[in-house]
Amino acid sequence: MNQQTGVLSIGETTMARSGPRSIAFVMGDKPVEFSSRFAYLADFDSDSVSVYKVNNKTGALKSIAKAKTGLAPESLALDPLNRFLYVANLKSNTISAFMINRRDGKLKEIAGSPYRTGEQPHSIAVDYNGRYVYTLNSKSNTMSVFEIDATNGSLTELKQTGLYYASPYKLERQPSKLLLHPSARNSYIINALTNDISFFNYYDDGPLVIASEFGSPVEIKNGANAMAIDPNGRYAYVVSAESNTLTA
């Protein structure tokens, strides 16, 4: 992975066991231990988000609340400071936005929520600076981009300016997964049907723009089902379930 442009180049491919689907990294020791306090679960069939309190000694979960969402909540994302929760609703083509009570973890829907996206938003992410929310919309083959109000968590869909296009961005391939780089300078989209990866750069301190001038997309001959970036942001690894391989 090029540290300046985010461009990917194929290193080596290693055989994996049958049917790999996902990949994760164990990070090194941290000077401060972080303990989970609350967990949030998107309940696809009940059109809601369940809130759980985490027992830090045993890891057990205790159900404490529910919050109503749009139809078929598929994916959710927190802002970096754990103040706001955003939920992609697959069947209502919306994002539900909530403010998190720091004391008890309960959710309060933000004024203006829900927000309209492209068709069938199935993947949602918040950038590492906490400024933008992105959804991949599988039916319309688009990516919706919203700016976050840092005060109240409300969303405003990106408008066209002299620097970048208005949301939603048209994607030529069918997007399946969105991955953000730890440096908050690049993002990557796996295109399952075309077996390649598109990558985006941030324009200055603004939202993502397609990085076609740097050679995006990158073909993954063995197919791509999942992707992960090492914690230092130097290497990317792609899992292929079809060929049982891991490509670096």
Side-chain angles (χ1 to χ4, degrees), residues 141-159:
N141 286 351
T142 58
M143 178 170 65
S144 297
V145 185
F146 297 83
E147 189 168 7
I148 300 173
D149 186 303
T151 302
N152 57 34
S154 62
L155 301 179
T156 302
E157 191 165 14
L158 197 67
K159 306 298 183 184

Side-chain angles (χ1 to χ4, degrees), residues 172-225:
E172 298 301 326
R173 295 156 173 79
Q174 186 173 27
S176 60
K177 295 185 185 298
L178 173 64
L179 185 69
L180 303 180
H181 190 278
S183 71
R185 302 314 306 161
N186 310 101
S187 290
Y188 302 87
I189 293 177
I190 293 177
N191 306 304
L193 294 183
T194 51
N195 292 335
D196 55 26
I197 297 174
S198 300
F199 51 96
F200 294 76
N201 287 341
Y202 290 89
Y203 187 93
D204 195 13
D205 62 348
L208 295 173
V209 294
I210 187 69
S212 57
E213 66 270 26
F214 297 117
S216 175
V218 174
E219 181 183 4
I220 305 296
K221 293 183 178 180
N222 295 317
N225 298 94

Side-chain angles (χ1 to χ4, degrees), residues 227-241:
M227 178 178 173
I229 298 173
D230 82 290
N232 293 320
R234 298 179 60 195
Y235 304 106
Y237 300 84
V238 179
V239 172
S240 172

Side-chain angles (χ1 to χ4, degrees), residues 27-28 45 87 92 99 110 118 164 175 179 204 208 216 237 243:
M27 299 181 66
D45 293 330
V87 183
S92 57
M99 183 172 290
I110 291 170
Y164 37 77
L179 185 69
D204 195 13
L208 295 173
S216 175
Y237 300 84
S243 59

